[in-house]
């Protein structure tokens, strides 16, 4: 009897423990659920983060609290049209007082900042941050490939399906960090690899291991791939029609070279057709690879935009393609291309120096000025991908160069281009502008007090586009300037600027004009 009572009590105790355990697990799961359902609750209880300001001990302003993100708004005195106010009678008195205090703080920031701060910079210049304002017409995201939005010109279901596959392949080619470049006379390996944002140290290390890379010849081709860490993983160097060199990254960071002596045959071909859908899809249907399509689009970038080509536009291409037996190897050289668009002919013909010119031997590239200003400014912070934040100690890459300027200094376009975005970030870049130059180049301007251009506007070199300022999160008035090649930031002060050649010397020009006449005959449409 006693034993049965003890067993009954034990069963009750175990049942009670199971209930307690169940309730504990339920409470834990409920807490986790609440945490994820209301992720901003804890953040809402925290005081606003303060902006890091670099000050000297002797500076009286060092005793003042740093500017908060809510205070880093554009000065309404410099751009009244871009600071909308509340309608009369809207909001409470507290809201009005807050708005007034914020505006006053912004004015004070502009007025009390020195005319030129030699150390002015910012640690929040990443454009991936959410924009607070975006001008209508700004391009939020570039198309994966020029002209790929022209699917309305593809009525047949089978053709549409093919285009989708080709688009996916083309996007994958871009996403996988693949690049190609034809050597122009005077270019070095660092100039080639810089097209993908690689630092000069990478080419220097390669040349030290493989000295033959120090001397490049016009017309040679490079094709390379970056890994997920933006390191050079693979490089193919087409030395000549009969020789190809491959460089592959090893586990220890070194590179292994493979030399291929080729038994292939190169054939000169003329390919003619019409645009059906996008430019890249139209080229793909004629057997051109992504590398060759990129070469064609780059050659034409200063004359006609690929995404403006329409169904029925005609093209003719003169190229040399490599065959092994009766099969294409994928290697090719584009000698010339002729596009007939809107009743007008556009030519890009390669000269002996590797560059492309029009039929008259005139350079196609748009020249770039080194500085987007009327004078050479003082640099307050240099381009530095490995820069660290002075407070957090974390890597905070500086993807551009900072120029110390007085608020209101005119900013000019360094080259012809198109305004693709005008926007504002209170907690980052401030008011900023993005310009696109041709197909491969972009320039970015941050912390402006006022934009003088609109999205979609075509601008010329030397034209005023903005006034410098101190908007967003910055330590002082300055211009943050970025130069992008293939959507990758490079050092604006050392990059080899495109399109600055003066043309062909007299002797080369004569030979080129002879070639040009023959090309026009071969590519007649």
């Amino acid at each position: 009897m006693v034993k049965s009572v003890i067993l009954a009590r034990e069963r009750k105790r175990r049942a009670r423990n199971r209930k307690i355990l169940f309730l504990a697990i339920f409470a834990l799961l409920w807490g986790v659920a609440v945490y994820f359902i209301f992720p901003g609750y804890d953040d809402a209880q925290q005081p606003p983060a303060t902006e890091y300001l670099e000050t000297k001990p002797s500076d009286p302003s060092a005793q003042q609290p740093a500017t908060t993100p809510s205070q880093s708004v554009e000065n309404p005195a410099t751009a009244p049209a871009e600071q909308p106010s509340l309608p009369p009678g809207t909001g409470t008195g507290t809201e009005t007082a807050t708005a007034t205090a914020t505006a006053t703080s912004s004015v004070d920031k502009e007025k009390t900042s020195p005319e030129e701060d030699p150390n002015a910079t910012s640690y929040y210049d990443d454009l991936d941050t959410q924009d607070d304002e975006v001008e209508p017409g700004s391009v939020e995201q570039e198309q994966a490939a020029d002209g790929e939005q022209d699917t309305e010109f593809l009525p047949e279901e089978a053709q549409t399906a093919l285009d989708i596959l080709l688009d996916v392949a083309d996007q994958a080619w871009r996403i996988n960090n693949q690049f190609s470049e034809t050597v122009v006379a005077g270019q070095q390996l660092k100039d080639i690899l810089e097209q993908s944002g690689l630092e000069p140290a990478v080419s220097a290390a390669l040349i030290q291991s493989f000295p033959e890379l120090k001397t490049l010849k016009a017309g040679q081709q490079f094709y390379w791939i970056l890994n997920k860490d933006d390191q050079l993983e693979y490089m193919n160097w087409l030395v000549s029609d009969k020789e190809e060199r491959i460089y592959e990254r090893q586990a220890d960071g070194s590179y292994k070279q493979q030399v291929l002596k080729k038994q292939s045959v190169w054939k000169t071909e003329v390919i003619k057709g019409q645009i059906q859908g996008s430019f890249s899809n139209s080229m793909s249907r004629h057997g051109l690879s992504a590398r060759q399509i990129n070469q064609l689009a780059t050659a034409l970038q200063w004359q006609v935009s690929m995404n403006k080509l329409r169904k029925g536009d005609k093209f003719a291409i003169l190229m040399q393609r490599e065959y092994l037996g009766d099969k294409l190897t994928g290697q090719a050289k584009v000698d010339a291309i002729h596009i007939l668009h809107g009743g007008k002919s556009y030519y890009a013909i390669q000269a002996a120096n590797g560059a492309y010119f029009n039929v008259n031997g005139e350079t196609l590239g748009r020249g770039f000025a080194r500085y987007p200003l009327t004078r050479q400014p003082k640099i307050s912070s240099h381009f530095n991908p490995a820069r660290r934040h002075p407070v957090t100690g974390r890597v905070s890459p500086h993807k551009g160069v900072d120029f110390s300027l007085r608020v209101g200094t005119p900013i000019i376009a360094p080259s012809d281009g198109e305004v693709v975005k005008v926007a504002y970030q209170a907690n980052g870049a401030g008011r900023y502008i993005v310009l696109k130059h041709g197909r491969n180049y972009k320039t970015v301007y941050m912390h402006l007090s006022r934009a003088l251009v609109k999205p979609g506007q075509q601008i010329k070199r030397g034209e005023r586009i903005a006034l410098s300022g101190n908007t967003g999160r910055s330590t002082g008035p300055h211009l943050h300037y970025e130069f992008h090649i293939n959507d990758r930031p490079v050092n604006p002060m050392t990059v080899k600027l495109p399109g600055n050649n003066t043309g062909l010397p007299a002797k080369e020009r004569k030979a080129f004009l002879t070639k040009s006449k023959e090309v026009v005959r071969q590519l007649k449409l």
Side-chain angles (χ1 to χ4, degrees), residues 305-327:
S305 176
M306 298 299 100
N307 60 11
K308 292 183 179 178
L309 298 179
R310 292 294 179 259
K311 181 180 180 181
D313 286 346
K314 298 179 180 180
F315 63 85
I317 305 166
L318 176 64
M319 62 190 305
Q320 300 175 51
R321 297 209 275 189
E322 184 185 43
Y323 286 83
L324 191 59
D326 59 349
K327 294 184 178 180

PDB file of all heavy atoms in Angstrom, residues 305-327:
ATOM      1  N   SER A 305      24.489  54.424 -77.868  1.00  0.00           N
ATOM      2  CA  SER A 305      24.209  53.560 -76.728  1.00  0.00           C
ATOM      3  C   SER A 305      23.522  52.294 -77.214  1.00  0.00           C
ATOM      4  O   SER A 305      22.575  52.350 -78.002  1.00  0.00           O
ATOM      5  CB  SER A 305      23.314  54.292 -75.727  1.00  0.00           C
ATOM      6  OG  SER A 305      22.961  53.440 -74.660  1.00  0.00           O
ATOM      7  N   MET A 306      23.996  51.156 -76.729  1.00  0.00           N
ATOM      8  CA  MET A 306      23.446  49.881 -77.188  1.00  0.00           C
ATOM      9  C   MET A 306      21.964  49.729 -76.852  1.00  0.00           C
ATOM     10  O   MET A 306      21.217  49.083 -77.575  1.00  0.00           O
ATOM     11  CB  MET A 306      24.233  48.716 -76.577  1.00  0.00           C
ATOM     12  CG  MET A 306      25.702  48.671 -76.961  1.00  0.00           C
ATOM     13  SD  MET A 306      25.992  48.492 -78.732  1.00  0.00           S
ATOM     14  CE  MET A 306      26.371  50.193 -79.193  1.00  0.00           C
ATOM     15  N   ASN A 307      21.522  50.322 -75.740  1.00  0.00           N
ATOM     16  CA  ASN A 307      20.114  50.161 -75.365  1.00  0.00           C
ATOM     17  C   ASN A 307      19.179  51.069 -76.157  1.00  0.00           C
ATOM     18  O   ASN A 307      17.970  51.047 -75.948  1.00  0.00           O
ATOM     19  CB  ASN A 307      19.914  50.372 -73.858  1.00  0.00           C
ATOM     20  CG  ASN A 307      20.329  51.752 -73.405  1.00  0.00           C
ATOM     21  OD1 ASN A 307      20.587  52.634 -74.222  1.00  0.00           O
ATOM     22  ND2 ASN A 307      20.409  51.941 -72.101  1.00  0.00           N
ATOM     23  N   LYS A 308      19.744  51.870 -77.074  1.00  0.00           N
ATOM     24  CA  LYS A 308      18.906  52.700 -77.940  1.00  0.00           C
ATOM     25  C   LYS A 308      18.718  52.089 -79.325  1.00  0.00           C
ATOM     26  O   LYS A 308      17.988  52.628 -80.151  1.00  0.00           O
ATOM     27  CB  LYS A 308      19.510  54.106 -78.055  1.00  0.00           C
ATOM     28  CG  LYS A 308      19.451  54.888 -76.745  1.00  0.00           C
ATOM     29  CD  LYS A 308      19.983  56.295 -76.902  1.00  0.00           C
ATOM     30  CE  LYS A 308      19.889  57.049 -75.572  1.00  0.00           C
ATOM     31  NZ  LYS A 308      20.443  58.423 -75.679  1.00  0.00           N
ATOM     32  N   LEU A 309      19.405  50.982 -79.572  1.00  0.00           N
ATOM     33  CA  LEU A 309      19.221  50.296 -80.847  1.00  0.00           C
ATOM     34  C   LEU A 309      17.835  49.663 -80.879  1.00  0.00           C
ATOM     35  O   LEU A 309      17.326  49.190 -79.864  1.00  0.00           O
ATOM     36  CB  LEU A 309      20.297  49.228 -81.035  1.00  0.00           C
ATOM     37  CG  LEU A 309      21.744  49.741 -81.099  1.00  0.00           C
ATOM     38  CD1 LEU A 309      22.708  48.575 -81.256  1.00  0.00           C
ATOM     39  CD2 LEU A 309      21.916  50.735 -82.237  1.00  0.00           C
ATOM     40  N   ARG A 310      17.213  49.648 -82.056  1.00  0.00           N
ATOM     41  CA  ARG A 310      15.851  49.155 -82.200  1.00  0.00           C
ATOM     42  C   ARG A 310      15.764  48.065 -83.263  1.00  0.00           C
ATOM     43  O   ARG A 310      16.661  47.906 -84.094  1.00  0.00           O
ATOM     44  CB  ARG A 310      14.914  50.317 -82.560  1.00  0.00           C
ATOM     45  CG  ARG A 310      14.746  51.332 -81.431  1.00  0.00           C
ATOM     46  CD  ARG A 310      14.018  50.696 -80.250  1.00  0.00           C
ATOM     47  NE  ARG A 310      13.858  51.611 -79.128  1.00  0.00           N
ATOM     48  CZ  ARG A 310      14.626  51.605 -78.048  1.00  0.00           C
ATOM     49  NH1 ARG A 310      15.632  50.749 -77.961  1.00  0.00           N
ATOM     50  NH2 ARG A 310      14.400  52.449 -77.059  1.00  0.00           N
ATOM     51  N   LYS A 311      14.673  47.343 -83.222  1.00  0.00           N
ATOM     52  CA  LYS A 311      14.438  46.279 -84.192  1.00  0.00           C
ATOM     53  C   LYS A 311      14.528  46.842 -85.605  1.00  0.00           C
ATOM     54  O   LYS A 311      13.934  47.867 -85.921  1.00  0.00           O
ATOM     55  CB  LYS A 311      13.058  45.665 -83.965  1.00  0.00           C
ATOM     56  CG  LYS A 311      12.741  44.512 -84.919  1.00  0.00           C
ATOM     57  CD  LYS A 311      11.364  43.945 -84.646  1.00  0.00           C
ATOM     58  CE  LYS A 311      11.055  42.793 -85.603  1.00  0.00           C
ATOM     59  NZ  LYS A 311       9.705  42.229 -85.365  1.00  0.00           N
ATOM     60  N   GLY A 312      15.299  46.168 -86.435  1.00  0.00           N
ATOM     61  CA  GLY A 312      15.470  46.613 -87.812  1.00  0.00           C
ATOM     62  C   GLY A 312      16.764  47.354 -88.052  1.00  0.00           C
ATOM     63  O   GLY A 312      17.208  47.474 -89.202  1.00  0.00           O
ATOM     64  N   ASP A 313      17.402  47.884 -86.982  1.00  0.00           N
ATOM     65  CA  ASP A 313      18.724  48.491 -87.150  1.00  0.00           C
ATOM     66  C   ASP A 313      19.686  47.415 -87.659  1.00  0.00           C
ATOM     67  O   ASP A 313      19.620  46.256 -87.238  1.00  0.00           O
ATOM     68  CB  ASP A 313      19.233  49.054 -85.821  1.00  0.00           C
ATOM     69  CG  ASP A 313      18.513  50.333 -85.421  1.00  0.00           C
ATOM     70  OD1 ASP A 313      17.825  50.911 -86.283  1.00  0.00           O
ATOM     71  OD2 ASP A 313      18.633  50.742 -84.255  1.00  0.00           O
ATOM     72  N   LYS A 314      20.578  47.799 -88.547  1.00  0.00           N
ATOM     73  CA  LYS A 314      21.466  46.823 -89.178  1.00  0.00           C
ATOM     74  C   LYS A 314      22.888  46.933 -88.634  1.00  0.00           C
ATOM     75  O   LYS A 314      23.304  47.985 -88.156  1.00  0.00           O
ATOM     76  CB  LYS A 314      21.470  47.028 -90.696  1.00  0.00           C
ATOM     77  CG  LYS A 314      20.105  46.827 -91.352  1.00  0.00           C
ATOM     78  CD  LYS A 314      20.182  47.063 -92.853  1.00  0.00           C
ATOM     79  CE  LYS A 314      18.823  46.860 -93.516  1.00  0.00           C
ATOM     80  NZ  LYS A 314      18.888  47.088 -94.982  1.00  0.00           N
ATOM     81  N   PHE A 315      23.618  45.831 -88.741  1.00  0.00           N
ATOM     82  CA  PHE A 315      25.015  45.829 -88.313  1.00  0.00           C
ATOM     83  C   PHE A 315      25.850  44.956 -89.241  1.00  0.00           C
ATOM     84  O   PHE A 315      25.344  44.024 -89.887  1.00  0.00           O
ATOM     85  CB  PHE A 315      25.157  45.330 -86.871  1.00  0.00           C
ATOM     86  CG  PHE A 315      24.725  43.906 -86.656  1.00  0.00           C
ATOM     87  CD1 PHE A 315      25.597  42.847 -86.879  1.00  0.00           C
ATOM     88  CD2 PHE A 315      23.436  43.616 -86.222  1.00  0.00           C
ATOM     89  CE1 PHE A 315      25.197  41.534 -86.679  1.00  0.00           C
ATOM     90  CE2 PHE A 315      23.021  42.306 -86.021  1.00  0.00           C
ATOM     91  CZ  PHE A 315      23.907  41.263 -86.251  1.00  0.00           C
ATOM     92  N   ALA A 316      27.126  45.289 -89.318  1.00  0.00           N
ATOM     93  CA  ALA A 316      28.100  44.488 -90.062  1.00  0.00           C
ATOM     94  C   ALA A 316      29.400  44.498 -89.262  1.00  0.00           C
ATOM     95  O   ALA A 316      29.832  45.552 -88.787  1.00  0.00           O
ATOM     96  CB  ALA A 316      28.319  45.059 -91.458  1.00  0.00           C
ATOM     97  N   ILE A 317      30.009  43.324 -89.108  1.00  0.00           N
ATOM     98  CA  ILE A 317      31.200  43.184 -88.265  1.00  0.00           C
ATOM     99  C   ILE A 317      32.315  42.515 -89.064  1.00  0.00           C
ATOM    100  O   ILE A 317      32.094  41.488 -89.720  1.00  0.00           O
ATOM    101  CB  ILE A 317      30.895  42.334 -87.019  1.00  0.00           C
ATOM    102  CG1 ILE A 317      29.702  42.911 -86.251  1.00  0.00           C
ATOM    103  CG2 ILE A 317      32.114  42.245 -86.112  1.00  0.00           C
ATOM    104  CD1 ILE A 317      29.143  41.961 -85.211  1.00  0.00           C
ATOM    105  N   LEU A 318      33.494  43.109 -89.009  1.00  0.00           N
ATOM    106  CA  LEU A 318      34.685  42.507 -89.604  1.00  0.00           C
ATOM    107  C   LEU A 318      35.538  41.978 -88.462  1.00  0.00           C
ATOM    108  O   LEU A 318      35.970  42.744 -87.594  1.00  0.00           O
ATOM    109  CB  LEU A 318      35.466  43.547 -90.411  1.00  0.00           C
ATOM    110  CG  LEU A 318      36.796  43.076 -91.017  1.00  0.00           C
ATOM    111  CD1 LEU A 318      36.561  41.980 -92.055  1.00  0.00           C
ATOM    112  CD2 LEU A 318      37.559  44.249 -91.632  1.00  0.00           C
ATOM    113  N   MET A 319      35.750  40.670 -88.431  1.00  0.00           N
ATOM    114  CA  MET A 319      36.491  40.094 -87.318  1.00  0.00           C
ATOM    115  C   MET A 319      37.291  38.875 -87.738  1.00  0.00           C
ATOM    116  O   MET A 319      37.028  38.262 -88.780  1.00  0.00           O
ATOM    117  CB  MET A 319      35.529  39.731 -86.179  1.00  0.00           C
ATOM    118  CG  MET A 319      34.482  38.694 -86.526  1.00  0.00           C
ATOM    119  SD  MET A 319      33.207  38.539 -85.232  1.00  0.00           S
ATOM    120  CE  MET A 319      34.189  38.218 -83.780  1.00  0.00           C
ATOM    121  N   GLN A 320      38.269  38.553 -86.923  1.00  0.00           N
ATOM    122  CA  GLN A 320      39.061  37.339 -87.108  1.00  0.00           C
ATOM    123  C   GLN A 320      38.669  36.364 -86.001  1.00  0.00           C
ATOM    124  O   GLN A 320      38.675  36.727 -84.827  1.00  0.00           O
ATOM    125  CB  GLN A 320      40.550  37.655 -87.022  1.00  0.00           C
ATOM    126  CG  GLN A 320      41.044  38.648 -88.063  1.00  0.00           C
ATOM    127  CD  GLN A 320      42.498  39.008 -87.847  1.00  0.00           C
ATOM    128  OE1 GLN A 320      43.351  38.133 -87.708  1.00  0.00           O
ATOM    129  NE2 GLN A 320      42.785  40.300 -87.812  1.00  0.00           N
ATOM    130  N   ARG A 321      38.338  35.136 -86.396  1.00  0.00           N
ATOM    131  CA  ARG A 321      37.934  34.132 -85.410  1.00  0.00           C
ATOM    132  C   ARG A 321      38.843  32.910 -85.511  1.00  0.00           C
ATOM    133  O   ARG A 321      39.265  32.511 -86.595  1.00  0.00           O
ATOM    134  CB  ARG A 321      36.475  33.735 -85.611  1.00  0.00           C
ATOM    135  CG  ARG A 321      35.535  34.895 -85.393  1.00  0.00           C
ATOM    136  CD  ARG A 321      34.180  34.446 -84.894  1.00  0.00           C
ATOM    137  NE  ARG A 321      33.275  34.064 -85.954  1.00  0.00           N
ATOM    138  CZ  ARG A 321      31.972  33.805 -85.762  1.00  0.00           C
ATOM    139  NH1 ARG A 321      31.451  33.895 -84.554  1.00  0.00           N
ATOM    140  NH2 ARG A 321      31.199  33.464 -86.769  1.00  0.00           N
ATOM    141  N   GLU A 322      39.111  32.327 -84.358  1.00  0.00           N
ATOM    142  CA  GLU A 322      40.026  31.195 -84.282  1.00  0.00           C
ATOM    143  C   GLU A 322      39.261  29.873 -84.394  1.00  0.00           C
ATOM    144  O   GLU A 322      38.256  29.669 -83.711  1.00  0.00           O
ATOM    145  CB  GLU A 322      40.795  31.240 -82.959  1.00  0.00           C
ATOM    146  CG  GLU A 322      41.846  30.138 -82.832  1.00  0.00           C
ATOM    147  CD  GLU A 322      42.506  30.137 -81.462  1.00  0.00           C
ATOM    148  OE1 GLU A 322      41.787  30.297 -80.454  1.00  0.00           O
ATOM    149  OE2 GLU A 322      43.739  29.966 -81.398  1.00  0.00           O
ATOM    150  N   TYR A 323      39.777  28.996 -85.247  1.00  0.00           N
ATOM    151  CA  TYR A 323      39.181  27.673 -85.441  1.00  0.00           C
ATOM    152  C   TYR A 323      40.206  26.594 -85.107  1.00  0.00           C
ATOM    153  O   TYR A 323      41.389  26.712 -85.436  1.00  0.00           O
ATOM    154  CB  TYR A 323      38.739  27.482 -86.891  1.00  0.00           C
ATOM    155  CG  TYR A 323      37.492  28.242 -87.276  1.00  0.00           C
ATOM    156  CD1 TYR A 323      37.561  29.585 -87.649  1.00  0.00           C
ATOM    157  CD2 TYR A 323      36.242  27.618 -87.275  1.00  0.00           C
ATOM    158  CE1 TYR A 323      36.421  30.282 -88.012  1.00  0.00           C
ATOM    159  CE2 TYR A 323      35.096  28.311 -87.640  1.00  0.00           C
ATOM    160  CZ  TYR A 323      35.191  29.641 -88.006  1.00  0.00           C
ATOM    161  OH  TYR A 323      34.058  30.332 -88.367  1.00  0.00           O
ATOM    162  N   LEU A 324      39.741  25.560 -84.452  1.00  0.00           N
ATOM    163  CA  LEU A 324      40.542  24.363 -84.223  1.00  0.00           C
ATOM    164  C   LEU A 324      39.811  23.245 -84.949  1.00  0.00           C
ATOM    165  O   LEU A 324      38.776  22.765 -84.496  1.00  0.00           O
ATOM    166  CB  LEU A 324      40.657  24.052 -82.731  1.00  0.00           C
ATOM    167  CG  LEU A 324      41.678  22.972 -82.339  1.00  0.00           C
ATOM    168  CD1 LEU A 324      43.077  23.361 -82.799  1.00  0.00           C
ATOM    169  CD2 LEU A 324      41.667  22.734 -80.841  1.00  0.00           C
ATOM    170  N   GLY A 325      40.342  22.891 -86.110  1.00  0.00           N
ATOM    171  CA  GLY A 325      39.588  22.015 -86.996  1.00  0.00           C
ATOM    172  C   GLY A 325      38.460  22.827 -87.601  1.00  0.00           C
ATOM    173  O   GLY A 325      38.680  23.879 -88.187  1.00  0.00           O
ATOM    174  N   ASP A 326      37.228  22.360 -87.425  1.00  0.00           N
ATOM    175  CA  ASP A 326      36.080  23.111 -87.938  1.00  0.00           C
ATOM    176  C   ASP A 326      35.265  23.740 -86.814  1.00  0.00           C
ATOM    177  O   ASP A 326      34.129  24.167 -87.022  1.00  0.00           O
ATOM    178  CB  ASP A 326      35.185  22.190 -88.775  1.00  0.00           C
ATOM    179  CG  ASP A 326      34.664  20.998 -87.969  1.00  0.00           C
ATOM    180  OD1 ASP A 326      35.167  20.786 -86.839  1.00  0.00           O
ATOM    181  OD2 ASP A 326      33.772  20.290 -88.463  1.00  0.00           O
ATOM    182  N   LYS A 327      35.846  23.816 -85.608  1.00  0.00           N
ATOM    183  CA  LYS A 327      35.120  24.357 -84.458  1.00  0.00           C
ATOM    184  C   LYS A 327      35.757  25.655 -83.970  1.00  0.00           C
ATOM    185  O   LYS A 327      36.983  25.789 -83.939  1.00  0.00           O
ATOM    186  CB  LYS A 327      35.091  23.337 -83.314  1.00  0.00           C
ATOM    187  CG  LYS A 327      34.287  22.082 -83.635  1.00  0.00           C
ATOM    188  CD  LYS A 327      34.223  21.155 -82.426  1.00  0.00           C
ATOM    189  CE  LYS A 327      33.386  19.918 -82.734  1.00  0.00           C
ATOM    190  NZ  LYS A 327      33.315  19.001 -81.561  1.00  0.00           N
TER     191      LYS A 327
END
